Amino acid sequence: RPLDPLPPAQPRPDDIPPPPPPPAREFETVTRTSATGQVVDADGPSAPPRGGVPPRPRGAPGLRLVYGAITVLFLPTTLVGILVTLLYGPWVGLPICLAGLSLGMSGSFLIARHLAREALERRIGGTRLYRRLEKSIQQEGWKLVLFSRLLPINPFSFLNYAYGLTGISFTRYLLASLAGILPNTLALLWTTHAAGQLATGRMDWRILIALFAGAGLFACLAWLPGFLRRRKPGALPLPDDDVLPDEPLA
């Protein structure tokens, strides 16, 4: 009878090809690793470096410098704060805003104290606001700086230069200023972030918390001036204070 056919030969394990790699998703891009171990794509950083630490936001150093320059030049800083929030969010944007404001407040203070003292004394030394600050700073010290920064509406850039003409130390001035601007900065960032999210149609409990937190903080800050002026009458800036000299000093 005819012989039965031989069974097919089984491939050896070494002959089995490796499985093909999974198909790439549509939104994946080719990545490369930088010298610091950070995974980047063609446009720059796109993933946190090894160890789980998120990368520093691109453009942040430039925004800090812009923030500081705007503060020194007597320009409104609110628009820069809104831009920072829309680009980086409230939590990453907070240190950017504080760093930029610190640069501006420090620069204005040091200019007034060391570089343009005589010119600024002629320019603002005769104002009602400066005379009130100069008198009150001797009694209140850093507390006056803190309280004046807490006011939601205040001559921010004017105060930076005016405090440089007083006798307060730079360290106390800067620390009290940072503590005072923190609530106003947080309120601005929270409300801006929540409004931006709502404008794009996003709604969840975190956005609502940010919205109500920012609005509540603004409400407290709006109530604060009357309370502080009752506690420190005649010390804090008033709405009708003139930042131009009544009689320029000789």
Side-chain angles (χ1 to χ4, degrees), residues 90-214:
W91 298 117
V92 177
L94 179 61
I96 297 175
C97 291
L98 293 180
L101 288 170
S102 298
L103 288 175
M105 293 186 299
S106 301
S108 302
F109 182 94
L110 295 176
I111 289 173
R113 176 150 297 184
H114 299 294
L115 298 180
R117 186 179 187 90
E118 294 183 359
L120 286 169
E121 283 180 342
R122 290 193 299 268
R123 180 69 174 83
I124 67 176
T127 63
R128 293 191 298 270
L129 176 55
Y130 177 74
R131 290 196 296 266
R132 182 182 293 114
L133 292 175
E134 187 179 32
K135 179 180 178 181
S136 301
I137 200 76
Q138 300 174 4
Q139 301 173 351
E140 304 295 338
W142 62 268
K143 291 183 288 185
L144 176 65
V145 180
L146 174 64
F147 294 153
S148 63
R149 298 300 193 188
L150 286 171
L151 301 179
I153 300 177
N154 62 75
F156 183 77
S157 297
F158 178 93
L159 291 176
N160 296 334
Y161 288 97
Y163 284 129
L165 299 178
T166 65
I168 190 170
S169 69
F170 173 74
T171 302
R172 291 188 177 187
Y173 157 80
L174 184 59
L175 293 178
S177 294
L178 283 174
I181 65 173
L182 181 60
N184 281 294
T185 305
L186 275 176
L188 174 65
L189 298 185
W190 283 343
T191 51
T192 300
H193 174 69
Q197 296 297 310
L198 292 175
T200 58
R202 299 177 183 176
M203 172 69 74
D204 60 29
W205 63 271
R206 291 170 298 183
I207 296 175
L208 291 177
I209 288 177
L211 180 62
F212 284 109

